Amino acid sequence: AVLCSKISAHLPEKLAKIIQYLYQREDHIFHSSQASTAITLIFDECELETVEKIINPEYTIYSKKGCAAIKIISPMGIVDQPGIFAYILNLLANVGINLLSVSVSNTEMMLLVDRKDEVKAFDVLKNEIDRLRKIASA
């Protein structure tokens, strides 16, 4: 699930509760990205009701179930490759896949798609990675 919340003065306290709660779960999923006025949280959809209660529903901008997260683990050199993120996003756009959220760090790229597009997005990305590996090893 994805939940986007307004930032409030109590956000650090609420995030601590959410992290503590989610990390007690056996298969915890948690990812966050923060902008200047809102924070986006990605976690297992079965936890949406609890997370939204902790955040406080009045601060929720939107929430959505039925999402799939695709994580691309990046070799360190990939972030130095000009246009690599645009290239990846373009691959998915060219086959009609809408991205609900994108988050990038030095070690990974997290793409959030509608669950109906999960397999197609994965296949497009895997096929391109395999193709590029063949070119690099030739």
Side-chain angles (χ1 to χ4, degrees), residues 24-43:
Q24 290 173 357
R25 302 294 176 254
E26 189 171 314
D27 292 324
H28 72 272
I29 297 169
F30 180 70
H31 183 80
S32 65
S33 58
Q34 184 175 332
S36 59
T37 60
I39 187 165
T40 300
L41 307 175
I42 299 169
F43 49 89

Side-chain angles (χ1 to χ4, degrees), residues 7-21:
I7 293 176
S8 70
H10 302 288
L11 182 63
E13 175 186 309
K14 292 176 182 194
L15 276 179
K17 284 181 183 177
I18 290 167
I19 291 168
Q20 183 177 18
Y21 171 76

